[in-house]
Amino acid sequence: MSNSTGRGLQANVLGTFDTVVMAVAGSAPAYSIAATTAVLAGAVGLAGPAALLYCAIPMLGIALAFSRLSRIDVNAGASYSWVGRTLHPFLGFISGWALVISATIFMVAGSLPAGSMTLALFDEGLADDTALSTVVGAAWFVVMLAVVLGGARLTVRAQLIMSGVELAILALFAVLALLHTDNSLPFDWSWLGFGHFDGVSGFASGALVAAFYYWGWDVTSNLSEETRDSRRTTGLAGLIGVGIVFLLFEVFTIAVNVILSSQQIEDNGANVLAALGEEVWPGWGGKVLIVAVMLSTVATLETTLIQVTRSLFAMGRDRTMPSALGRVHRTWNTPWVAIAVVGGVALVLFVASNALGSVGDILADAIAAIGLQIAVYYGLAGLAAVVAYRKTLLKSPSDFLLGGLWPLFGAVFMFWIFVESLGELNPAAVAIGIGGLAVGLVPMLWYWRQGSDYYRPARLDASRTVEADYVPEGRPATHSAGHEGLSTDF
């Protein structure tokens, strides 16, 4: 089960603050607001703030599930390992695969805006040139590949700078938006109610887009093997991250409703934030917010790369994918084969996506497809937490609520928006979303036939793990509590 070089990821590199920064950067507040607000407005109109509010409640349930699962199984594969060890290895593999596919699609969808934002700083006209945006976006992507290859410490340092500047700019504009008087609409409490949704299906399509906004905080779980005191830290950081981005999303979605007309939102599809900036600080506002979005996009490319490469590393280590993916670089302690493979595949997809049309078209289909895949692996993780902790749920009201009811509600909500939105989405988005998951059946069945140990799991049971800190028989310590707190590279 150990990787072929006998080395693991570098333990104890990240602290609590670093991990919270990674959680916030993973959800990419500025990028999500800029790229997704038009999609959200298209789906639910003025009900954007309500969609984000009502999706935050189940999303916190999923964050609670991740928090509780990371306490009993420290694994870079996160939901891939947890779901496999509680529900079924096939479902665990599909969980990991859903993350790998959604992250890969996102890296293509996210690199285009990174390119067009960078160009927009110099010349607005250039930003609409898809070919040029692809080249610049690919350049950013290669830089982030190099940073992620350089190890967790370098990754976090880059992240602190990018996210620090981004959040400072967003805070400034939140204040400017509050002070802005020339509004197209007065604030209305009904934007937080259910009245503006076009029935149940309208609510579901809004919730699917909202899930994409939040997605990414769970990068903390993929970094668990590299985090100090990770049983406590990774889950806590995920919860704090969801809370911070929820506040930012609400403030800016309400500001967009108040300050911009529906025509302005439509005209600035791929970057609503720049239009908002121009309104509240004419001349400079648009440019400054473009910087925030560019940094946010590049930062989230980095966290997405971490998620996909750590998941593939765990799969390679378990021999559920080619074992070379489990190799760790001798100097940098990073899964270099997984990073190289992901980089190569994503760059090929960039070039292919160029043939598909404009930045806006590519984004809309990709966001919807990713929403379906996120719903699958978040939903399965929510169920896994309830199953893993089932024997302890009746010990106290808080155990029942935080460990049972809330994660279960999160899981049911995720599966509901998955099913409900299938009928609403266009064929391209469904084909990308479901087709991407179906491709995973090939490696899953192949390595299952090869007899990977992953398909004979030591079951996760919180009542045993928490009390005994037990290491499953026949499993190496890197898979369990045993490697916690070692300051060496193992």
Side-chain angles (χ1 to χ4, degrees):
M1 288 282 293
S2 65
N3 59 56
S4 44
T5 58
R7 293 171 64 83
L9 302 167
Q10 191 165 11
N12 301 315
V13 179
L14 309 180
T16 307
F17 179 72
D18 304 328
T19 320
V20 171
V21 170
M22 294 303 273
V24 174
S27 290
Y31 166 80
S32 298
I33 298 161
T36 323
T37 301
V39 182
L40 186 63
V44 295
L46 291 171
L52 288 163
L53 171 64
Y54 298 122
C55 193
I57 299 166
M59 191 58 80
L60 274 171
I62 301 300
L64 281 167
F66 271 73
S67 169
R68 291 170 70 83
L69 287 164
S70 60
R71 275 185 225 162
I72 56 174
D73 182 22
V74 175
N75 192 297
S79 61
Y80 153 80
S81 171
W82 304 331
V83 173
R85 291 181 61 191
T86 49
L87 304 180
H88 192 278
F90 283 178
L91 290 175
F93 184 88
I94 289 298
S95 252
W97 184 258
L99 171 58
V100 168
I101 292 292
S102 56
T104 306
I105 295 170
F106 174 76
M107 286 184 285
V108 178
S111 294
L112 276 169
S116 60
M117 294 294 156
T118 310
L119 292 167
L121 286 176
F122 302 101
D123 179 356
E124 289 288 341
L126 289 175
D128 297 328
D129 185 332
T130 310
L132 197 54
S133 295
T134 307
V135 172
V136 178
W140 270 122
F141 179 72
V142 171
V143 171
M144 285 302 109
L145 267 179
V147 170
V148 170
L149 188 59
R153 213 171 254 126
L154 176 64
T155 305
V156 166
R157 281 190 189 138
Q159 197 60 263
L160 285 170
I161 296 166
M162 294 187 291
S163 295
V165 176
E166 171 202 354
L167 292 173
I169 293 173
L170 286 178
L172 169 68
F173 276 85
V175 174
L176 289 175
L178 281 173
L179 301 174
H180 188 70
T181 51
D182 180 19
N183 300 333
S184 70
L185 283 175
F187 170 74
D188 189 339
W189 282 106
S190 72
W191 297 342
L192 293 166
F194 286 98
H196 288 282
F197 291 109
D198 182 18
V200 172
S201 61
F203 176 72
S205 53
L208 192 71
V209 178
F212 175 80
Y213 269 85
Y214 290 110
W215 176 55
W217 54 266
D218 51 306
V219 65
T220 58
S221 300
N222 299 102
L223 284 166
S224 60
E225 292 183 31
E226 295 152 271
T227 305
R228 286 193 290 281
D229 189 18
S230 67
R231 291 168 179 281
R232 187 186 63 83
T233 308
T234 52
L236 179 67
L239 286 162
I240 295 171
V242 172
I244 292 171
V245 297
F246 163 69
L247 290 173
L248 285 170
F249 292 156
E250 282 298 338
V251 167
F252 278 91
T253 314
I254 290 170
V256 166
N257 273 5
V258 169
I259 295 168
L260 299 181
S261 66
S262 52
Q263 192 56 51
Q264 282 173 298
I265 296 172
E266 209 174 303
D267 294 344
N268 293 282
N271 191 8
V272 171
L273 215 44
L276 185 73
E278 253 334 295
E279 285 290 324
V280 299
W281 185 5
W284 276 96
K287 282 265 192 284
V288 175
L289 274 175
I290 284 176
V291 172
V293 176
M294 184 187 83
L295 287 171
S296 179
T297 311
V298 175
T300 198
L301 281 178
E302 185 192 81
T303 57
T304 310
L305 265 170
I306 284 175
Q307 285 199 280
V308 70
T309 55
R310 297 307 188 267
S311 297
L312 287 171
F313 162 76
M315 290 170 150
R317 178 173 65 183
D318 288 350
R319 306 274 197 278
T320 56
M321 289 281 278
S323 60
L325 293 171
R327 284 196 192 140
V328 173
H329 193 279
R330 291 202 165 279
T331 312
W332 299 317
N333 290 92
T334 47
W336 65 274
V337 178
I339 292 169
V341 168
V342 168
V345 169
L347 288 168
V348 168
L349 287 175
F350 285 152
V351 179
S353 72
N354 221 337
L356 293 176
S358 77
V359 177
D361 298 342
I362 295 169
L363 267 181
D365 284 345
I367 287 169
I370 291 170
L372 289 173
Q373 290 156 350
I374 296 166
V376 168
Y377 89 86
Y378 276 177
L380 288 170
L383 283 182
V386 178
V387 172
Y389 277 88
R390 65 191 181 282
K391 292 176 185 165
T392 65
L393 294 182
L394 297 177
K395 280 188 175 173
S396 74
S398 70
D399 275 324
F400 182 71
L401 174 67
L402 302 179
L405 206 56
W406 207 340
L408 182 64
F409 169 64
V412 170
F413 185 84
M414 292 296 155
F415 294 135
W416 175 75
I417 55 176
F418 176 86
V419 173
E420 195 64 39
S421 46
L422 276 180
E424 295 288 308
L425 294 175
N426 68 21
V430 174
I432 299 170
I434 304 296
L437 288 174
V439 171
L441 297 176
V442 177
M444 181 181 88
L445 294 170
W446 171 260
Y447 285 98
W448 171 63
R449 291 296 303 276
Q450 300 286 312
S452 160
D453 280 352
Y454 173 80
Y455 293 106
R456 295 188 296 279
R459 290 275 165 219
L460 259 192
D461 179 348
S463 60
R464 291 166 61 198
T465 315
V466 172
E467 287 158 23
D469 231 10
Y470 92 113
V471 176
E473 286 174 59
R475 288 246 160 176
T478 49
H479 253 262
S480 60
H483 78 293
E484 265 293 316
L486 294 179
S487 57
T488 55
D489 305 335
F490 30 87

